Amino acid sequence: MLSFVEVLLEALFLTVDPYMRLAAKRLKEGDTLMGQQVARVVESKNSAFPTGTVVLASSGWTSHSISDGKELEKMPEAWPNTLPLSLMLGTLGMPGLTAYFGLLDICSAKSGETVLVNAAAGAVGSVVGQIAKIKGCKVVGAAGSDDKVAYLKKLGFDVVFNYKTIKSLEETLKKASPDGYDCYFDNVSTN
């Protein structure tokens, strides 16, 4: 039974993010894997979140959860019906925001510059490349399989290489951009 401000959530979509591999190693049987989810309020005693409200929640990998509403984020009211709700966890969520602010605020990428993206086929890297193209940059991507290389070419990357099959990284990078690189967007954790 819900207390006077709680809501019962039902998960619609769950995140699958690279950092979760590290977290999963520390889990014991019965623990809930951390992560965000897009969820629907199925029962509510909180006037701020009526039944049917769609929210972003940090409830982890669970089909149902209870929240007091303090850390829930409502789906924007202007969300177009043509956009899948799952985008709240990807391109329009944490990976997309990481790509956007990392490229534009940290790298300060500008038209005419060359951007090198490591782990380019991932959730962040693929968005970095697309934003860089929109900004008028030349985009070079590194990926770990031929399928990923093909995917990045479809996204519009100018040059893509499979780092597992090249003979020389130095030669590959020089060939891809003889004048060098203005921004290196690294998505790889060493943990």
Side-chain angles (χ1 to χ4, degrees):
M1 184 162 172
L2 298 176
S3 75
F4 66 97
V5 294
E6 291 178 324
V7 296
L8 175 62
L9 302 171
E10 180 178 42
L12 302 174
F13 299 98
L14 305 172
T15 58
V16 180
D17 296 311
Y19 72 85
M20 296 170 103
R21 283 182 289 189
L22 298 173
K25 290 179 182 178
R26 296 187 298 268
L27 292 177
K28 295 179 181 77
E29 188 175 335
D31 289 348
T32 299
L33 182 62
M34 62 192 265
Q36 288 188 309
Q37 61 176 244
V38 175
R40 178 173 285 114
V41 175
V42 292
E43 187 180 333
S44 178
K45 295 208 175 176
N46 186 327
S47 61
F49 299 97
T51 299
T53 303
V54 177
V55 297
L56 190 61
S58 294
S59 301
W61 278 28
T62 182
S63 64
H64 291 81
S65 58
I66 294 175
S67 171
D68 62 8
K70 289 182 182 172
E71 295 190 21
L72 298 180
E73 182 181 334
K74 284 185 183 179
M75 181 184 78
E77 289 184 26
W79 190 272
N81 289 337
T82 56
L83 286 181
L85 295 174
S86 60
L87 290 180
M88 291 175 70
L89 299 172
T91 307
L92 300 176
M94 182 270 296
L97 293 172
T98 300
Y100 182 88
F101 289 107
L103 181 67
L104 301 181
D105 286 359
I106 305 300
C107 288
S108 301
K110 296 170 189 59
S111 181
E113 293 183 340
T114 302
V115 176
L116 173 59
V117 184
N118 196 15
V124 175
S126 61
V127 176
V128 168
Q130 292 175 82
I131 293 171
K133 289 301 297 176
I134 291 168
K135 293 293 287 179
C137 298
K138 177 180 179 179
V139 181
V140 177
S145 76
D146 292 340
D147 287 342
K148 291 176 182 179
V149 167
Y151 168 67
L152 293 169
K153 287 179 180 178
K154 285 182 184 177
L155 291 182
F157 280 60
D158 296 291
V159 179
V160 188
F161 61 91
N162 180 342
Y163 66 84
K164 293 180 179 177
T165 60
I166 59 171
K167 292 182 181 172
S168 165
L169 179 60
E170 183 177 355
E171 287 177 21
T172 301
L173 292 174
K174 283 182 181 177
K175 182 179 177 187
S177 182
D179 295 328
Y181 298 87
D182 301 290
C183 170
Y184 174 53
F185 200 103
D186 186 9
N187 289 298
V188 181
S189 171
T190 58
N191 291 337

